[in-house]
Amino acid sequence: AWKDAINTTIINFNNEKMQITWAANELFPDENVSFSYTFDEGKYKVWKPCPTYLLDQDYNSGCLFKTEGPSLAISIRNSNGSEELFSKRLKSDFYIKPNQPENVTFFWKEDTVTVSCNKPERGVKCLRLELQYKSKFDKDWQSRTSKCCSVGEQGFDPRKCYSFRVRLKRLVPYCNVVNYSSDWEAETFWMNGTLLDSCDDDIKSQSNTVIVLSCLLAAFLMIFILLILLCKWQRLQKSVMPAIPDPKYVFADLFNDHNGNFQEWIDKTDHAMVQTKLEYEEPECIMEAKSQQEDEKNSDKQRPQEKILSFSRAVENNDPKAAQVACQMPTSNTIASFAGFQILMNDDMYVML
């Protein structure tokens, strides 16, 4: 009864190595026990000593040896081997712990992901592939298990970053008496079918996107405000300082045909007007004699006479009196009006006002 009360932990690593451990300090205080094993059956058993001991505070607490068959017998004895303290027969195949899945691949299609791995060489029917995942908004892992060696799940949000991990499990109780699973494969991070180094990269990329969009929005707002201010400034400028008309648009032939040469343009214009209208002979200018007394009186009071002559109207109406008045007026300062512009003619000089 005392021998059966000893608890041992038995692990068969992928049916390659056996590890058997016990609580040395509790079961065998102050005693360094010995361990032996055999995979042989029948009367002729060959017991082998433990090749590699596992120690706990310098006391033997376990043994590691190679798996050589399905049937195993173990024996624990005192330090000199004279007394057997514990013995047990077992099936090594019921204590298998599988290795990590190899060559794990992820296949994404819209919101569905399928995870697969290479099939082990043996014991595939006893294995299940377990997939666990969670997003950065989930506290606990979500689990999905399927036959070896492919598992799929749907409903993934492409806007979220997910963490994935996979492992292989042995069926209990059909294949194992102990629920052993492999170690987890290295955790991976995915977002919408793209492999990331971590989900922190997703947070950084989102923050960078927010910063860029904010800058662009601020730039557009500034441009919009500047355009509004520019329009208001133009309106204010027009109301305060109205635009001065450009004479080149009123006198197109002056600037296009004569390059701004006023003398050439006025000569040609006068010649064309005379030729197109009735021939006109300039009457002789008759100067009326005035008395010396009137000249003296008027010379002090009167300034040089200036008069605005409308040359175009005089020619069109063929008015000799208008021409005679033009001849009678002093030629020192004469002002002509053309299309809203005034031209001051002083002797041989023409000034446009």
Side-chain angles (χ1 to χ4, degrees), residues 218-235:
F220 285 130
L221 287 176
M222 290 180 64
I223 293 174
F224 181 71
I225 293 173
L226 289 175
L227 290 176
I228 293 176
L229 293 176
L230 181 60
C231 293
K232 290 187 176 181
W233 169 252
Q234 289 179 350
R235 291 181 180 179

Side-chain angles (χ1 to χ4, degrees), residues 73-353:
I74 60 175
S75 176
I76 298 177
R77 294 177 175 270
N78 57 5
S79 57
N80 56 17
S82 60
E83 181 184 1
E84 186 178 67
L85 303 177
F86 174 76
S87 64
K88 186 176 183 178
R89 295 178 59 87
L90 55 95
K91 290 291 185 180
S92 61
D93 292 346
F94 287 165
Y95 297 87
I96 294 178
K97 180 179 180 178
N99 289 340
Q100 290 179 336
E102 298 179 353
N103 194 21
V104 178
T105 58
F106 289 79
F107 176 74
W108 289 79
K109 185 177 180 181
E110 296 178 354
D111 66 337
T112 303
V113 60
T114 303
V115 183
S116 60
C117 65
N118 292 344
K119 289 184 178 181
E121 296 179 359
R122 50 191 174 184
V124 178
K125 293 182 179 180
C126 291
L127 295 175
R128 293 293 181 267
L129 183 63
E130 182 182 8
L131 168 67
Q132 286 190 350
Y133 60 91
K134 67 176 180 178
S135 69
K136 57 186 178 182
F137 304 103
D138 299 328
K139 295 182 179 179
D140 300 325
W141 289 93
Q142 307 294 323
S143 183
R144 173 78 173 177
T145 305
S146 182
K147 292 182 179 180
C148 186
C149 291
S150 178
V151 58
E153 186 61 79
Q154 60 183 4
F156 292 97
D157 190 344
R159 297 169 296 179
K160 295 181 180 179
C161 178
Y162 291 90
S163 303
F164 290 91
R165 62 182 185 181
V166 292
R167 66 179 179 180
L168 290 173
K169 297 179 64 175
R170 289 274 295 185
L171 288 176
V172 178
Y174 304 103
C175 300
N176 263 31
V177 294
V178 182
N179 189 12
Y180 281 147
S181 301
S182 70
D183 295 333
W184 289 104
E185 182 66 16
E187 188 175 348
T188 57
F189 306 92
W190 296 80
M191 180 177 179
N192 195 21
T194 303
L195 180 63
L196 304 176
D197 294 334
S198 67
C199 284
D200 294 337
D201 297 339
D202 173 45
I203 298 174
K204 292 180 180 178
S205 62
Q206 287 184 353
S207 61
N208 293 336
T209 303
V210 171
I211 293 173
V212 172
L213 292 177
S214 301
C215 293
L216 290 176
L217 181 60
F220 285 130
L221 287 176
M222 290 180 64
I223 293 174
F224 181 71
I225 293 173
L226 289 175
L227 290 176
I228 293 176
L229 293 176
L230 181 60
C231 293
K232 290 187 176 181
W233 169 252
Q234 289 179 350
R235 291 181 180 179
L236 179 62
Q237 190 176 19
K238 288 181 180 180
S239 62
V240 176
M241 295 179 294
I244 300 174
D246 194 343
K248 72 178 182 179
Y249 296 108
V250 180
F251 303 100
D253 53 348
L254 171 61
F255 293 94
N256 295 336
D257 299 339
H258 303 283
N259 295 324
N261 191 333
F262 183 78
Q263 183 64 46
E264 180 182 342
W265 172 75
I266 197 65
D267 292 343
K268 187 174 181 180
T269 302
D270 290 344
H271 179 70
M273 292 173 62
V274 172
Q275 292 295 330
T276 55
K277 301 299 179 178
L278 296 175
E279 293 185 357
Y280 170 71
E281 292 183 358
E282 184 177 353
E284 296 182 356
C285 295
I286 302 173
M287 302 297 296
E288 296 181 356
K290 295 182 179 180
S291 64
Q292 185 177 359
Q293 185 177 2
E294 292 177 351
D295 291 338
E296 292 176 355
K297 293 180 180 180
N298 295 332
S299 59
D300 297 332
K301 297 180 180 179
Q302 293 182 351
R303 298 174 58 189
Q305 296 184 354
E306 293 182 357
K307 188 155 185 177
I308 299 175
L309 304 180
S310 176
F311 293 102
S312 60
R313 184 179 301 174
V315 176
E316 290 177 358
N317 297 334
N318 196 15
D319 190 354
K321 292 183 178 181
Q324 183 178 359
V325 171
C327 293
Q328 291 178 355
M329 297 304 297
T331 60
S332 58
N333 292 311
T334 306
I335 299 177
S337 176
F338 285 91
F341 286 87
Q342 292 180 345
I343 303 172
L344 176 62
M345 295 176 290
N346 187 356
D347 295 335
D348 295 334
M349 182 182 297
Y350 299 85
V351 180
M352 181 177 293
L353 301 177

